[in-house]
Amino acid sequence: VLGREAFAVADLLADLAQTFEPLARSRGIDFRVADASGGGVLTGHRKSLAGALTNLLENALQALDQGGRIDLDARRDGSLLLLSVRDNGRGMNAETASRLFDPFFTTRAEGTGLGLSIARGVARAHGGGIEVVSSPGAGAEFTLTLPCPTL
């Protein structure tokens, strides 16, 4: 596939932090990145994966008020890499969560409803998936799961 490359998980996280941290800070949001990938390397389209994760980060930002917190974590689970974006915002009910990945479904007046369906498409194109865990008042956690064979 065109544009596929091997790259360190740490580099992807560093790129996202550099882009997103100033935005979070300007909105009074505590943004933290934790890399427990153990030097993990992904093979894929770095720009599209970064775009999918940026979408998740921007959605988290939309769900928060000043003083909120967003965590971006990477961790291994066997031959899988789990990239999580977690916020302590409003959260959502099961009905909303079940429809989030439907094209054109949005909870925002200015939203297109395409970001999450595109993010899921990116995950699937890389042999992975995406899921959400959320409940009202308890924030949300989106986890992108990707194959990450050990070296």
Side-chain angles (χ1 to χ4, degrees):
V1 178
L2 193 67
R4 285 181 82 83
E5 58 179 315
F7 55 91
V9 172
D11 292 345
L12 178 64
L13 294 177
D15 289 351
L16 289 162
Q18 187 176 5
T19 305
F20 191 73
E21 205 280 329
L23 181 60
R25 189 174 54 234
S26 73
R27 306 252 186 112
I29 302 300
D30 182 15
F31 176 58
R32 299 184 192 186
V33 179
D35 182 2
S37 70
V41 174
L42 290 170
T43 299
H45 194 269
R46 181 171 171 169
K47 192 171 179 183
S48 62
L49 284 169
L53 289 162
T54 297
N55 179 269
L56 297 178
L57 290 167
E58 289 174 347
N59 285 352
L61 196 60
Q62 296 283 339
L64 290 172
D65 297 317
Q66 192 166 348
R69 176 169 168 176
I70 298 172
D71 289 283
L72 171 61
D73 297 331
R75 66 187 185 280
R76 300 284 304 239
D77 183 3
S79 63
L80 297 175
L81 178 77
L82 282 56
L83 291 158
S84 298
V85 173
R86 187 171 56 255
D87 68 66
N88 64 352
R90 294 184 287 279
M92 64 199 106
N93 62 32
E95 182 188 356
T96 299
S98 73
R99 297 188 59 200
L100 282 180
F101 299 101
D102 295 353
F104 306 112
F105 176 78
T106 183
T107 58
R108 303 203 314 253
E110 75 282 10
T112 61
L114 290 174
L116 289 171
S117 66
I118 291 169
R120 184 169 66 178
V122 168
R124 288 180 173 169
H126 286 82
I130 188 171
E131 53 190 47
V132 61
V133 175
S134 182
S135 56
E141 181 172 13
F142 287 84
T143 303
L144 198 63
T145 305
L146 301 168
C148 185
T150 51
L151 295 176

